[in-house]
Amino acid sequence: MNLAEARSDFPIVYRRAYLNACSLMPLSNRVVGAVHAQLGDLQLNGRNNSPHRIRFAEERVI
């Protein structure tokens, strides 16, 4: 991924220059998508799907 591709994953860069990196930062589209996927899974399966979520995190996040 080059710099232009990385920037395109943050919608805020199309509206303003975001210079504050020390507090709550804007989330990338990939992060928002991952959070939505996890919340959807929790909504449908509760904690019954925990092994899958742990495996997903270990394979793709860590």
Side-chain angles (χ1 to χ4, degrees):
M1 176 181 295
N2 63 36
L3 180 59
E5 292 169 334
R7 285 179 53 82
S8 72
D9 202 28
F10 292 85
I12 195 169
V13 301
Y14 298 107
R15 295 190 322 274
R16 62 179 57 118
Y18 189 83
L19 304 175
N20 184 0
C22 296
S23 63
L24 295 176
M25 68 219 120
L27 299 176
S28 70
N29 292 327
R30 293 183 340 163
V31 168
V32 171
V35 169
H36 280 287
Q38 293 299 314
L39 290 174
D41 182 55
L42 284 169
Q43 181 181 31
L44 295 175
N45 302 304
R47 60 175 281 167
N48 294 328
N49 209 18
S50 291
H52 169 73
R53 282 194 301 280
I54 292 168
R55 192 168 47 256
F56 176 86
E58 288 174 344
E59 292 172 358
R60 298 197 180 128
V61 178
I62 298 174

